[in-house]
Amino acid sequence: METTLLLNTSLLLTLAIILTPTLLLPVSKTSSNSPTTITRTVKTAFLISLIPMTLFMLSGTESITSYWEWKFTTNFKIPLSFKMDQYSMMFFPIALFVTWSILQFATWYMASEPHITKFFFYLLTFLIAMLILTIANNMFLLFIGWEGVGMMSFLLIGWWQGRAEANTAALQAVLYNRIGDIGLILSMAWLASTMNTWEMQQAPLPTQTPTLPLLGLILAATGKSAQFGLHPWLPAAMEGPTPVSALLHSSTMVVAGIFLLIRTHPLLANNPTALTLCLCLGALSTLFAATCALTQNDIKKIIAFSTSSQLGLMMVTIGLNLPQLAFLHISTHAFFKAMLFLCSGTIIHSLNGEQDIRKMGGLQKMLPTTTSCLTIGNLALMGTPFLAGFYSKDLIIESLNTSYLNTWALLLTLLATSFTATYSLRMTLLVQTGFPRTPTNSPTNENNPMITNPITRLALGSILAGLLITSYITPTKTPPMTMPTTTKTAAVIATALGIALAMELSTMTHTLTYPKQNPHLNFSSSLGYFNPLMHRPNTTNLLNSGQKIASHLIDLSWYKKMGPEGLTDLQLMAIKTSTTLHTGLIKTYLGSFALSIILILSTQT
Amino acid sequence: ASEMSKDLMPGPYPRTPEERAAAAKKYNMRVEDYEPYPDDGFGFGDYPKLPDKSAHERDPWYQWDQPDVRHNWGQPMHWDFDMYIRNRVDTSPTPVPWHTMRKHFLLFLSTMLIMFGLGEIYPSYRPVGPKQYPFNDLYLERGGDPNKEPPVVTHYEI
């Protein structure tokens, strides 16, 4: 059978299967939708989406299909077109696999939630929006998916809406994403005016692409993927339930910004300024997030900063003009990051809501499966040879070392790699080893298969995914083949140095002394002071000036200055100047009148 | 009538001490604490000028009448209370003083930008050298004199 037909049909079938629960909503009165059915739907969709991925891997078939066209104006049409290329066909099974595992986990985690079906619906709607974003062939459909994931992120972060901190975090996420959206709309406008289409297939310009639309795209990626400057929303988003953090803020939504840059990489490729900007921004983000992760005590915040750091690494890869490698890192990162979040969710529930790692310890014996998978996830994150993270991370660092680029960006990325090892080891040591610092009557258990199955499945993915993907996908650019041994093992050496640093620090702090405050500790644990410095003055000034202008100044100007008091002031001014002028000497005036009349009469006759 | 009576609504700026006392009583405040906004034409009237503290600074564990806004019934509300709710501006004291935070952050940012600039001027790249040809840099093929002694050429191995 013709491969493209099979490809298109199976991919559309996947999308249709995903959409079924939403279509059944208005139809069925006897709420036949439940968490189990939704999980089963996503599992079916995953299995079906393996078909197009296998087809692509074995035969290299790609396709672009277009279904309906919105005849916007006579010469600007927006088709509903799907692009099934390497990126979308690889992303579908990975996203569906991770979502399936997370949904299965969430049936246990959110079991005491009264609106659990609505929660699952929100997650499903998010997944639909993300898949639309991935498969979109034009910027319009991508924008629909982009806004969709932003909206669902807002609804899901603020899931426990009675909690003021969750509402603030959701608001923060929406505002920071909106700032990024300004950039996206700017570049969409430029694209529409220059290329007269929003399709991604236009031929790249032979000359250098103007920097401004690329800046817009980079701003969009900064907002959505939490690069330095628009990053505070990602750690704040940990206010949402752990399945939300696992799905949105580790594997899928936050990579949407990087995915946008991957999709538009022909435009970026011939503009060295934009590439250097991506490189430097990514390097700064990865180091800043790794520095902040070193001193955090909330387990979810550590993993959130780890995500932020890896996103910076993906941005660095884009800056090296290696979009395929960035996508590989997205794929491998999804597995182990989602698994890390699910393990942390198990730990949190087992300790009855405790999220502070200073109150955890010795969990290796109490939760063996979970903590073993946590170790596997951390090893994959650190880029241990031949686990999933190694294939992408090591290649990135090799390409960094063998390219012509900004030296400081290279140094920062290497430093961030060792910091990654440090904070991962710190988390492992404090959570899993040592004496238990938890209360003795915690409901610690992993008896439910709904916990262990998703985590072990993702652990298997973390181990094998890198090997499988790199074995079957041919690289589009030649990877660097020859380099000195030091360069080849640079990533491993940096990681080992980070581990050594962590071991050294932990032996230093084994005596029960409280760390004294010093500027570096303060800087790291207060997240670089970015949050209070930016949030407080800006919002205060904006709200104060808005209030002042809208109520005080407008009232003052219209009711007073333009009306009675304004007239009074003008009149007073005129009066004051003219009062000094006239002296009131009536007799002199009358005499001058008489004199002038006599003179006129005398000259007349 | 469902509106408040005239004597409960905010009024004009209090000029005499009796007016001040009456205004303080109206707003459920002590006369010592009551401080109206200055009469500069911006229309505040006798509304009290409360300290600019947000809801974050109020005790989270006290049993407020309205726990979400941390406010008791009858307590005078700040003129900008909708700015100081828990979703918006936070005026709570930071662990590190403001000028220290600003200084350290700007130091960090400026160091990064300067180092990135330096990194652009001195980029890192794999070692490169001019191409090295055999036979004394192809002396004869380039039209060198066969009778003369070719110049000494040293080659290096990277």
Side-chain angles (χ1 to χ4, degrees), chain A residues 418-465:
Chain A
S418 41
F419 280 177
T420 309
T422 317
Y423 63 69
S424 304
L425 191 67
R426 173 174 181 259
M427 185 171 88
T428 316
L429 282 175
L430 279 172
V431 167
Q432 297 171 242
T433 64
F435 294 105
R437 297 179 292 279
T438 60
T440 42
N441 54 354
S442 315
T444 315
N445 76 86
E446 5 177 69
N447 301 328
N448 199 333
M450 291 296 212
I451 316 170
T452 42
N453 284 348
I455 293 181
T456 40
R457 210 182 301 133
L458 285 174
L460 199 64
S462 307
I463 299 174
L464 295 177

Side-chain angles (χ1 to χ4, degrees), chain A residues 6-27:
Chain A
L6 209 55
L7 191 84
N8 295 337
T9 324
S10 42
L11 212 71
L12 286 176
L13 191 59
T14 324
L15 285 172
I17 293 173
I18 295 275
L19 281 170
T20 339
T22 53
L23 297 170
L24 281 179
L25 242 189
V27 169

Side-chain angles (χ1 to χ4, degrees), chain B residues 27-47:
Chain B
Y27 289 113
N28 289 332
M29 292 172 78
R30 300 189 319 173
V31 183
E32 301 87 51
D33 296 331
Y34 176 71
E35 186 202 331
Y37 279 96
D39 189 22
D40 52 2
F42 276 110
F44 285 103
D46 62 356
Y47 202 86

Side-chain angles (χ1 to χ4, degrees), chain A residues 22-132:
Chain A
T22 53
L23 297 170
L24 281 179
L25 242 189
V27 169
S28 73
K29 276 289 155 203
T30 62
S31 62
S32 58
N33 278 325
S34 74
T36 337
T37 57
I38 297 184
T39 320
R40 220 176 282 146
T41 315
V42 172
K43 177 179 174 181
T44 325
F46 160 66
L47 290 170
I48 306 272
S49 72
L50 285 174
I51 300 175
M53 185 177 82
T54 352
L55 274 176
F56 172 75
M57 278 180 167
L58 296 176
S59 65
T61 323
E62 298 185 355
S63 87
I64 300 173
T65 50
S66 157
Y67 293 99
W68 168 71
E69 201 168 50
W70 178 16
K71 313 241 187 301
F72 201 31
T73 57
T74 26
N75 61 351
F76 192 90
K77 313 257 189 287
I78 304 177
L80 179 72
S81 65
F82 294 155
K83 178 171 188 178
M84 294 159 213
D85 66 341
Q86 171 200 15
Y87 301 126
S88 56
M89 278 192 290
M90 294 298 305
F91 193 75
F92 261 60
I94 293 172
L96 286 167
F97 181 74
V98 169
T99 313
W100 167 36
S101 307
I102 291 173
L103 288 178
Q104 207 180 6
F105 178 80
T107 52
W108 171 74
Y109 193 81
M110 308 290 289
S112 59
E113 170 70 50
H115 300 290
I116 189 171
T117 318
K118 189 159 87 152
F119 183 75
F120 272 67
F121 255 109
Y122 280 2
L123 285 177
L124 193 71
T125 318
F126 165 80
L127 183 67
I128 296 171
M130 188 69 207
L131 294 179
I132 290 177

Side-chain angles (χ1 to χ4, degrees), chain A residues 164 168 276 280 284 402-408 482 523 528-530 532-533 536 540 543 547 552 556 560, chain B residues 41-42 44 79-80 83 86-87 89-90 92 98 101 104-105 108 112 115-116 119-120 122-126:
Chain A
T168 319
T276 320
C280 298
L284 186 58
T402 55
S403 314
Y404 179 93
L405 47 62
N406 195 323
T407 325
W408 189 240
T482 58
F523 187 81
Y529 310 128
F530 188 90
L533 282 176
R536 293 189 187 191
T540 324
L543 289 168
Q547 161 89 341
H552 297 295
L556 191 68
K560 293 188 182 169
Chain B
F42 276 110
F44 285 103
W79 182 273
D80 296 315
M83 186 165 87
R86 278 158 67 194
N87 283 341
V89 177
D90 179 358
S92 53
W98 190 265
M101 282 206 289
H104 286 185
F105 179 69
F108 170 74
M112 283 293 157
M115 293 307 287
F116 272 125
E120 272 303 300
Y122 303 108
S124 96
Y125 47 88
R126 293 172 75 179

Side-chain angles (χ1 to χ4, degrees), chain B residues 15-63:
Chain B
R15 295 190 191 279
T16 66
E18 294 83 31
E19 283 183 10
R20 281 181 86 98
K25 188 168 182 336
K26 180 172 71 178
Y27 289 113
N28 289 332
M29 292 172 78
R30 300 189 319 173
V31 183
E32 301 87 51
D33 296 331
Y34 176 71
E35 186 202 331
Y37 279 96
D39 189 22
D40 52 2
F42 276 110
F44 285 103
D46 62 356
Y47 202 86
K49 185 164 186 284
L50 296 161
D52 287 341
K53 296 212 184 296
S54 73
H56 296 91
E57 292 195 51
R58 300 196 179 190
D59 189 358
W61 296 104
Y62 176 76
Q63 306 279 16

